[in-house]
Amino acid sequence: MSELSAKLRYILQFYFDKGTSAAQAREEICALYGQDTLSKATAKRWFSRFRSGNLDVQDAPRSGRPITEKVNEILAKVEQDRHVSSHDIARDLNINHQTVLNHLEKAGYKKKLDVWVPPDLTQKNLIDRISICEYLLKRNELEPFLQRLITSDEKWITYDNARKRSWSKREEAPPAMENPAPTARKVMLCVWWDWKGVVHYELLSPGTTIDSDLLCRQLERLYIAIQKKRPELVNSVVVYHRPYICLASRQKLGENGWEILMHPQYSPDLAPSDYHLFPSLQSSLNGVKLASKEACENHLAQFFDQKPPKFYSDGIMVLPQKWQKVIEHYGAYVDS
């Protein structure tokens, strides 16, 4: 509400208290401030409001969910899945896509390697990144383990990858956008790979609950895949995963004789899938429309099989260089 609008509403209330009609009040106001200052409809609307007993000159609260609730729901989506797209958030919450982008920008979130990360790493984040990288670098020098390392991660695979982005200058209003489709056809890829190639992967349909039971079953299937493809690693796997492994999964890894390698929080630049595998996979998907889950499986199988061994080796063997860069840059993010 502008300063002039606030003043006019108090003046209208003054004339109402005097017993003046809405038309007469408008004439007096327009004579003083200009003929276009107040419309007849606005004057009548406020007089009707005063006659109802509501003498509050502030605007009535707007309908719909509070803004804070929308912000909390958006941020909750990001915390649940740091790979989630802003379009998916808009569709799931039934709000405008630009609204999602605005709230994420205000909250300071940005995407790095297709992962939502906070705007600035805290002092603890920086120290953790340095200390973990120092430990991993030193350990790999004393006892090389990269050829025993299996890394895992998840990524949404959408059926329709023909979406185009529209960019505008900062001072220009964003172009109008169509409302997102009521349902999005996608599956979640869970993949485990090492310096030789993909060891195991699965596709989960939307709505699948990723809980401890599912994670443990996945580890059982991974164990079988390792027995077939990497029998020499069955009892000596080093798992390089995000920090959020549940207790049951940790116990399952321990039963297999596998070790969990430390990974600092908010560090997609140190996750091989984020900085190496997924960007290449997404590039292969851009502009592609997949008709079904089976089509997704065929595309993934072809993508994984056609990649030369050097592709996978490069993605894993570059880790020591990245750890060293983090140390040299005092914990800051490093470029891919």
Side-chain angles (χ1 to χ4, degrees):
M1 182 172 60
S2 68
E3 181 179 352
L4 180 59
S5 296
K7 183 186 297 184
L8 290 179
R9 294 175 186 184
Y10 282 109
I11 295 173
L12 283 170
Q13 189 182 56
F14 169 75
Y15 279 112
F16 174 81
D17 291 339
K18 284 183 61 177
T20 308
S21 68
Q24 290 174 327
R26 175 184 175 275
E27 288 181 7
E28 293 286 341
I29 292 173
C30 290
L32 181 61
Y33 294 101
Q35 289 301 313
D36 296 327
T37 302
L38 185 66
S39 68
K40 292 181 180 179
T42 299
K44 288 182 178 179
R45 175 167 58 84
W46 280 98
F47 265 62
S48 296
R49 178 169 174 167
F50 296 150
R51 280 194 292 269
S52 71
N54 185 356
L55 301 179
D56 187 358
V57 296
Q58 302 296 322
D59 279 324
R62 296 182 179 181
S63 60
R65 291 179 296 176
I67 293 178
T68 53
E69 182 180 338
K70 292 181 180 178
V71 174
N72 290 339
E73 291 182 354
I74 292 171
L75 297 183
K77 289 283 186 181
V78 171
E79 289 299 325
Q80 291 170 4
D81 178 9
R82 291 192 174 272
H83 290 279
V84 68
S85 75
S86 52
H87 287 275
D88 286 343
I89 296 175
R91 186 198 67 252
D92 292 345
L93 299 182
N94 194 28
I95 57 179
N96 184 269
H97 176 242
Q98 189 60 45
T99 300
V100 174
L101 295 179
N102 291 343
H103 287 318
L104 287 172
E105 182 178 358
K106 289 179 181 178
Y109 276 91
K110 57 184 178 181
K111 271 213 165 178
K112 188 172 186 66
L113 296 173
D114 199 37
V115 178
W116 292 107
V117 296
D120 298 302
L121 293 171
T122 65
Q123 191 70 18
K124 183 180 184 304
N125 293 149
L126 294 172
I127 293 174
D128 286 346
R129 280 168 59 86
I130 294 172
S131 60
I132 291 176
C133 286
E134 286 177 338
Y135 165 78
L136 295 175
L137 194 62
K138 191 65 176 178
R139 174 178 169 178
N140 189 59
E141 291 174 356
L142 298 175
E143 180 192 353
F145 57 82
L146 295 181
Q147 293 187 1
R148 296 191 292 118
L149 183 149
I150 292 181
T151 184
S152 65
D153 215 326
E154 302 84 31
K155 173 181 172 57
W156 283 111
I157 306 295
T158 57
Y159 287 13
D160 186 355
N161 297 277
R163 178 186 297 148
K164 296 181 180 179
R165 289 187 177 182
S166 179
W167 298 91
S168 60
K169 295 181 179 179
R170 185 176 296 273
E171 63 273 11
E172 294 177 345
M177 299 183 65
E178 296 181 1
N179 290 329
T183 58
R185 305 175 68 194
K186 61 181 181 180
V187 290
M188 175 172 280
L189 167 67
C190 302
V191 60
W192 293 261
W193 60 287
D194 65 0
W195 71 291
K196 290 184 178 180
V198 172
V199 179
H200 179 64
Y201 71 92
E202 300 179 0
L203 292 179
L204 307 180
S205 300
T208 301
T209 302
I210 302 180
D211 53 18
S212 59
D213 290 338
L214 174 61
L215 293 174
C216 289
R217 292 197 301 272
Q218 287 182 325
L219 289 176
E220 291 174 356
R221 292 189 285 269
L222 174 62
Y223 185 86
I224 294 174
I226 291 175
Q227 285 181 316
K228 294 179 179 179
K229 298 181 179 180
R230 308 286 190 272
E232 71 279 8
L233 298 181
V234 169
N235 298 315
S236 61
V237 170
V238 176
V239 180
Y240 192 47
H241 199 281
R242 298 287 177 79
Y244 48 75
I245 297 179
C246 66
L247 179 60
S249 298
R250 289 181 179 274
Q251 293 174 340
K252 190 68 177 179
L253 290 168
E255 292 173 4
N256 293 341
W258 299 349
E259 177 189 354
I260 303 173
L261 204 63
M262 291 189 294
H263 185 282
Q265 193 175 23
Y266 304 130
S267 299
D269 55 335
L270 300 177
S273 295
D274 287 331
Y275 67 69
H276 189 73
L277 180 65
F278 289 164
S280 181
L281 173 58
Q282 187 57 51
S283 179
S284 76
L285 287 166
N286 289 341
V288 175
K289 289 189 176 182
L290 303 167
S292 63
K293 183 178 180 180
E294 182 180 2
C296 291
E297 292 174 344
N298 292 336
H299 182 96
L300 290 170
Q302 185 177 23
F303 172 82
F304 292 143
D305 290 342
Q306 288 183 349
K307 285 296 180 182
K310 186 177 184 300
F311 170 81
Y312 297 102
S313 177
D314 288 348
I316 299 298
M317 296 305 169
V318 75
L319 275 169
Q321 298 175 35
K322 289 182 172 292
W323 297 332
Q324 183 64 46
K325 283 186 177 180
V326 169
I327 297 169
E328 294 173 352
H329 290 79
Y330 306 102
Y333 285 123
V334 297
D335 295 330
S336 59

